[in-house]
Amino acid sequence: MARTGLFAGVFLVALGVLLFQVALTRVFSLMMWFHLAYLVVSLALLGFGAAGSFLTRFGEAEREDDPYPRLALFASGFGVTLILAFLSVTLLRLDALAVRIDAAPFVALLISFLALSAPFFFGGLAIGSALTRFRAQVGRVYFVDLLGSAAGGLLSVLALAAFGPTKTIVLAGCAGLLAGACFSWHTRFRTALLHHVLLASGLILATGFFGGGFGIPAIDWRIPYAPDKEVKVGAIEGRPAAILESATAQVEIGHEQHQPNTMFGEFGRLGQEEIWVRLVTQDGTAPTALYADAGDVARFDFLDHAQQMSGYTALAAQPHALERVLVIGVGGGVDVMMALRQGAESVRGVEINRAMVRAVSEDFKSYIGALFDDPRVELINAEGRAYLRRDDSRYDLIQLTGVDTYSALASGAYTLSESYLYTLEAIRDFYRHLQDDGLINCSRFFQGVPRTPRETIRYANLVREALAREGVREPWRQIVVFQGYHWASTLVKRGPFTEAECQALRELARAEGFMGMIHDPCLPTGAPGSEGFGWARLRLEEAAGVIPKLRELRPRAIAALEDGLVVRELEQALAEAANGRSAAAAERRHGLIERADPSVRDEVSEGIEAWWVEATDRIARSRAKLGQVQRDFETMLRSSDEARERFIEDYPFDLRTPTDDAPFFFNYFRLSKLGAAREEEAAGNYLYLPNIPVGHLVLFGSLAQVTLLGAIFILWPLRRLRAAGAHRALRLRTFGYFSALGIGYMFIEIAAMQKLVLFLGHPTHSLSIVLPTLLAATGLGALASSRVREPSPGIFARLLLAIVLAVGFLVAGVTFGLEPLLGLPFLLRAGVTALLLAPIGFLLGFPFPLGLRRLDAVAPGLVPWAWAINGFLSVFSATFATVLAMSFGFTVVLGLAALVYALGLPCLAKSRAEPE
């Protein structure tokens, strides 16, 4: 019975800790931004490290009293503090991105760190105390610990998809309270009663969070969005129409509203309509929309005037019909609507978020007119790139509009803004799936004019390099960059663009008032670009700016004139000035002034002329900037390799090509060029997509905070270690050994999950298979380590060799062995993944319990401290592995893991207790 209570308690605490850890990544994605959710790992491991220090400081290894009351206290403390910390932190508004202008968010983050690390501290006390007090059974306890973590990893995906993060966290708290009750089976009646009362209270609270019942009121607890998330759906009394949960991202759907068709790209001046829509966000951002009666695509004339129509415009200039279209990132379905309206015979949509798929195919199916029931449409829930690897179809058009595969890899390891859609291998995959003369159309927000381009120009370089790798001799002939105003499409053709296609795109720009072709492959090298095509849109925005200026002068500054007429007249004046007819422009302005009320005519004249100087000056500067942008794209795409390399070296942003091994397309900031970026930032005061690497600031700032706290928690117990009889050399070897285990294991876990996303087809699949497989295999290794009678130097040497070989096997298998198996059914691919990871996971289960046994024999007082070291270095490496991968790739991270084990494992091989 004693072992049953012990193992059940350890299992439940480990399950609850990982369930809480994974659910917190979703909380951070909502309260902050997805790429900051990696902080959860640091919190978890910091709490565990602090627990190890606490157990060291108060001599847990030397205690001889009954361990079960303390184990019950620690486990129940985990459950109680978990719920209290979560509820407290979600009352805050964490504006993490404000760190670029204010240091206060770092203080708020630190407070949140301390609050949220408290439950991990108590969870660490429970598991650490069990490992320390039951050292004779350390292999079995460690096995149950890892088995519970594996179960928590599996349960987290199911719970998040079914219930969302709030309810999942409450479940994690109840797991801790149940663990406390299990440990209390072996205590006095009063102690056991207390822990069972706490468990009952937790179950009552959980009933409220799950909708109430049995006289318990329902609890509706909302996790607040980050203050600067840009999209607010239509809500009535603060509530959206629906919230759909998934392990990928929370989908929030607003109430129906009548508004201009401004969502999901950009529409030209001929396509301005007001329509009935429901706005949709994912984790409070990534906006899209559900269009009322979308299935009747003939009703939506404005779709013919969208900026992302550029791909269809080029295809329409070809002689053959539009057959197959692939849409990656379906969202609310507007790209599918556009394909159907253009006459596509087959439209295949791939959407990563299961909640988004559910919205369009189930919950709001009737609202959108059963768009996805059209026999020409097929909807697939998968990561777009991974699906394409298993698809042997060829397409006339592959459409990506504002798609980012940025779902949190809620792995208990890290989350970062990686994307497999914007890598060298991705472009080659897309290109190979095109029909002859087929197109890729990647449409994204365009930071350019007056800002310096970053994403679109990096993508253009990525395409150029991919086409060169495919054997294309003049890649620039197969690339068009077409700008609306705030959005731009990069078109990639399987074959050179023809003059007919380029002319069709020029006409689209003229008709719709778009900026036009930033890169026109049909013009000679060095020829002026498409400047002037799209100034109508800019002129219109400049002209509209005069109305509030005039109203500041006098409410009825211009008598008997509609605002629209004023705008049209000034827009025409700007157009005439842009075309060199300055006299005609002046006459139009003078005509407006003459129509003004005589009593305010002088003020109107002064206001219009001041506005005119400002508007024309801005247009002149923007036109000059556009010319520079066009020259930059020409240098990037048409120049020699040497000239292009010089250009890349001098450019303010990083334009190098991301690969599948380092899929960080959005990591385009260069520390050496931040000065120029800051100057542009100050001039424009850009709140959206700023020029300052805010994510990096939070990354390194939080790393510094956690490192400082962790160092305190590790160094503080050293004051006691001398009295415990541990000499300096042994302390150093202990530090080296358990540091290597923390760093090496985390490096392998992170890299394995990341590199297997493509093979498994979904980040959630990678989480739910890789993490539990690794943890379960490691647990089995820990259990098997109990059969090793004596952890001799020879055992450590053989273990080291086996781990290095296993890492090499993993690298070779992931790099070379998986691609031929991509066509297998999912369950078989999951089985292959388990077979690939089981050997390395099993071997990694040996070092920790063997090290603890070795240490227990020579310096038992160091056992909890060793556990703290392991946790602290895991904190550091969880973040540092991200930094390394962004610079060198995940294969290098795996290689470094092998090196770390090679350096660390020999440290304890010959340890012995000696007085200092």
Side-chain angles (χ1 to χ4, degrees):
M1 183 66 177
R3 287 188 177 181
T4 301
L6 170 66
F7 293 148
V10 170
F11 177 88
L12 287 167
V13 170
L15 181 148
V17 164
L18 198 64
L19 197 60
F20 180 46
Q21 187 176 345
V22 173
L24 266 187
T25 63
R26 296 289 307 113
V27 174
F28 273 37
S29 291
L30 294 166
M31 290 187 65
M32 295 189 287
W33 294 80
F34 65 91
H35 57 283
L36 304 181
Y38 73 89
L39 296 174
V40 173
V41 187
S42 296
L43 293 179
L45 298 176
L46 177 62
F48 269 57
S53 296
F54 180 90
L55 295 174
T56 301
R57 176 65 181 82
F58 293 99
E60 187 71 13
E62 292 84 23
R63 296 181 69 96
E64 296 181 357
D65 58 347
D66 182 5
Y68 284 103
R70 288 164 63 83
L71 288 172
L73 174 65
F74 295 153
S76 294
F78 164 68
V80 171
T81 57
L82 184 159
I83 295 172
L84 292 178
F86 166 69
L87 297 180
S88 300
V89 168
T90 51
L91 293 175
L92 301 175
R93 300 301 302 273
L94 294 174
D95 190 2
L97 298 191
V99 296
R100 67 192 182 99
I101 57 176
D102 189 1
F106 277 126
V107 177
L109 280 173
L110 183 60
I111 294 171
S112 300
F113 285 175
L114 293 174
L116 291 173
S117 62
F120 292 115
F121 172 72
F122 279 98
L125 288 176
I127 295 174
S129 181
L131 288 169
T132 303
R133 300 293 294 275
F134 295 91
R135 294 193 296 277
Q137 305 175 53
V138 66
R140 292 182 176 87
V141 174
Y142 190 44
F143 164 70
V144 172
D145 170 29
L146 293 173
L147 193 64
S149 296
L154 286 170
L155 180 60
S156 65
V157 178
L158 301 174
L160 285 171
F163 309 127
T166 298
K167 295 175 183 176
T168 300
I169 286 175
V170 172
L171 285 178
C174 289
L177 295 173
L178 181 57
C182 291
F183 285 130
S184 73
W185 291 345
H186 316 295
T187 63
R188 294 179 303 173
F189 174 76
R190 288 183 179 178
T191 302
L193 179 62
L194 170 64
H195 291 286
H196 282 78
V197 168
L198 288 174
L199 174 60
S201 302
L203 293 176
I204 292 171
L205 184 68
T207 301
F209 274 96
F210 277 82
F214 309 104
I216 301 170
I219 301 173
D220 183 16
W221 194 272
R222 299 290 304 278
I223 299 173
Y225 286 137
D228 44 8
K229 287 193 172 180
E230 73 272 21
V231 179
K232 306 297 182 186
V233 302
I236 296 177
E237 296 181 351
R239 298 289 301 179
I243 297 176
L244 305 181
E245 300 288 357
S246 80
T248 304
Q250 174 181 287
V251 171
E252 190 172 86
I253 300 172
H255 295 272
E256 187 177 52
Q257 53 189 305
H258 198 237
Q259 67 161 55
N261 58 320
T262 55
M263 296 299 295
F264 216 73
E266 212 161 25
F267 297 92
R269 60 184 174 188
L270 301 180
Q272 300 300 311
E273 296 181 19
E274 290 205 351
I275 54 174
W276 289 101
V277 297
R278 294 177 183 267
L279 301 186
V280 181
T281 63
Q282 300 182 66
D283 282 353
T285 184
T288 183
L290 300 178
Y291 292 79
D293 299 319
D296 185 9
V297 295
R299 298 175 54 247
F300 296 90
D301 293 338
F302 68 87
L303 292 177
D304 296 339
H305 309 287
Q307 171 269 334
Q308 62 261 49
M309 263 294 297
S310 50
Y312 295 103
T313 299
L315 288 172
Q318 299 177 6
H320 50 77
L322 179 63
E323 296 178 358
R324 288 176 172 267
V325 173
L326 175 68
V327 175
I328 296 179
V330 169
V334 68
D335 279 334
V336 173
M337 296 166 62
M338 192 175 297
L340 293 176
R341 185 172 171 86
Q342 297 306 312
E345 297 175 12
S346 170
V347 184
R348 185 169 290 169
V350 182
E351 171 59 49
I352 191 172
N353 192 345
R354 178 67 186 92
M356 197 71 247
V357 171
R358 174 185 160 191
V360 299
S361 62
E362 299 175 23
D363 294 39
F364 290 88
K365 172 182 173 179
S366 60
Y367 180 79
I368 63 172
L371 171 65
F372 291 90
D373 282 354
D374 189 302
R376 295 170 291 175
V377 178
E378 181 182 5
L379 180 60
I380 298 162
N381 178 210
E383 196 276 332
R385 175 79 185 292
Y387 170 77
L388 202 63
R389 283 280 186 102
R390 302 191 300 275
D391 180 24
D392 58 3
S393 302
R394 288 181 176 269
Y395 299 93
D396 295 295
L397 180 69
I398 298 176
Q399 177 74 45
L400 303 90
T401 303
V403 182
D404 305 327
T405 309
Y406 56 73
S407 56
L409 246 184
S411 59
Y414 74 112
T415 302
L416 45 85
S417 47
E418 79 287 347
S419 175
Y420 282 105
L421 295 176
Y422 306 111
T423 66
L424 189 66
E425 295 86 348
I427 305 301
R428 300 181 73 179
D429 281 347
F430 297 154
Y431 188 76
R432 293 169 184 174
H433 280 78
L434 291 177
Q435 301 272 23
D436 290 342
D437 296 325
L439 294 174
I440 303 165
N441 184 358
C442 179
S443 182
R444 294 195 57 79
F445 187 82
F446 184 64
Q447 297 104 318
V449 188
R451 303 182 69 179
T452 300
R454 58 183 87 166
E455 290 183 14
T456 303
I457 195 168
R458 190 178 203 193
Y459 189 79
N461 184 44
L462 181 61
V463 169
R464 182 195 186 281
E465 182 66 25
L467 293 183
R469 298 281 183 95
E470 287 293 305
V472 177
R473 296 188 61 183
E474 295 181 305
W476 59 270
R477 294 188 182 276
Q478 298 180 207
I479 302 170
V480 160
V481 181
F482 181 92
Q483 183 184 358
Y485 188 62
H486 298 294
W487 284 66
S489 288
T490 303
L491 303 178
V492 186
K493 183 183 175 185
R494 193 175 180 88
F497 277 93
T498 66
E499 176 60 31
E501 292 164 339
C502 291
Q503 184 59 31
L505 290 168
R506 295 173 196 139
E507 291 298 331
L508 174 66
R510 286 193 181 97
E512 300 296 345
F514 292 142
M515 300 295 286
M517 306 251 271
I518 299 299
H519 175 251
D520 187 334
C522 298
L523 293 178
T525 300
S530 303
E531 185 271 323
F533 289 171
W535 289 104
R537 178 68 174 270
L538 180 58
R539 290 194 301 267
L540 184 62
E541 293 194 4
E542 294 288 357
V546 77
I547 299 301
K549 289 180 180 293
L550 292 179
R551 284 178 174 159
E552 289 174 6
L553 299 174
R554 193 73 60 87
R556 292 189 54 80
I558 300 181
L561 288 182
E562 297 285 340
D563 286 353
L565 177 59
V566 175
V567 170
R568 286 194 297 274
E569 286 293 303
L570 292 176
E571 190 269 338
Q572 287 298 318
L574 286 170
E576 289 166 343
N579 291 320
R581 296 192 292 271
S582 57
E587 186 176 343
R588 284 187 182 274
R589 302 198 310 277
H590 183 70
L592 279 176
I593 294 169
E594 288 299 315
R595 298 180 193 180
D597 189 304
S599 63
V600 294
R601 189 169 295 166
D602 290 341
E603 293 179 73
V604 170
S605 176
E606 182 179 346
I608 286 181
E609 291 306 318
W611 168 85
W612 179 261
V613 171
E614 178 184 338
T616 53
D617 178 65
R618 179 180 171 185
I619 287 178
R621 286 186 282 111
S622 295
R623 291 178 70 171
K625 180 68 173 179
L626 176 63
Q628 182 60 55
V629 168
Q630 290 173 331
R631 290 190 294 274
D632 287 346
F633 273 87
E634 181 171 290
T635 302
M636 173 63 71
L637 296 173
R638 298 198 190 200
S639 61
S640 65
D641 290 341
E642 295 78 8
R644 186 166 65 97
E645 287 300 322
R646 288 195 300 271
F647 174 79
I648 291 173
E649 182 64 28
D650 294 336
Y651 199 73
F653 296 101
D654 188 356
L655 304 180
R656 292 172 298 175
T657 55
T659 65
D660 282 353
D661 193 46
F664 303 99
F665 177 81
F666 302 102
N667 179 35
Y668 38 63
F669 292 105
R670 302 175 62 184
L671 297 181
S672 62
K673 302 289 185 180
L674 279 185
R678 287 180 63 87
E679 290 179 8
E680 183 178 275
E681 172 85 6
N685 191 27
Y686 301 115
L687 297 178
Y688 184 66
L689 297 173
N691 285 4
I692 307 302
V694 178
H696 290 66
L697 292 177
V698 178
L699 176 85
F700 290 113
S702 60
L703 179 61
Q705 288 181 336
V706 172
T707 301
L708 177 62
L709 292 174
I712 293 172
F713 289 141
I714 282 184
L715 296 178
W716 176 53
L718 283 176
R719 298 173 57 188
R720 177 180 171 81
L721 295 180
R722 185 184 300 273
H727 60 86
R728 185 185 306 275
L730 180 56
R731 295 201 302 267
L732 291 175
R733 289 197 293 270
T734 300
F735 185 89
Y737 183 89
F738 288 97
S739 296
L741 300 192
I743 295 171
Y745 194 93
M746 194 60 64
F747 277 17
I748 290 171
E749 179 183 295
I750 289 172
M753 277 187 291
Q754 182 63 54
K755 289 183 75 67
L756 284 162
V757 168
L758 278 178
F759 182 65
L760 293 170
H762 200 290
T764 304
H765 295 161
S766 182
L767 160 67
S768 60
I769 294 169
V770 174
L771 182 61
T773 299
L774 266 181
L775 291 173
T778 303
L780 290 172
L783 186 63
S785 72
S786 301
R787 297 180 176 272
V788 178
R789 293 184 179 181
E790 177 65 29
S792 64
I795 290 292
F796 284 101
R798 290 192 290 273
L799 183 60
L800 170 58
L801 177 61
I803 288 175
V804 171
L805 291 176
V807 171
F809 171 74
L810 177 62
V811 171
V814 171
T815 305
F816 305 109
L818 297 183
E819 187 165 354
L821 305 177
L822 281 168
L824 293 175
F826 173 72
L827 290 178
L828 289 180
R829 282 182 282 124
V832 169
T833 300
L835 291 175
L836 183 65
L837 295 175
I840 184 68
F842 182 76
L843 290 170
L844 295 181
F846 281 79
F848 189 76
L850 290 180
L852 288 183
R853 286 170 57 190
R854 183 72 176 171
L855 195 60
D856 184 50
V858 297
L862 291 180
V863 169
W865 184 65
W867 189 66
I869 293 168
N870 180 269
F872 169 67
L873 267 298
S874 296
V875 171
F876 176 80
S877 61
T879 304
F880 190 56
T882 299
V883 177
L884 288 174
M886 293 171 83
S887 299
F888 304 109
F890 284 103
T891 298
V892 170
V893 173
L894 284 172
L896 288 174
L899 177 62
V900 166
Y901 273 105
L903 295 174
L905 285 185
C907 287
L908 282 184
K910 297 182 179 180
S911 298
R912 60 186 185 276
E914 295 178 357
E916 188 170 4

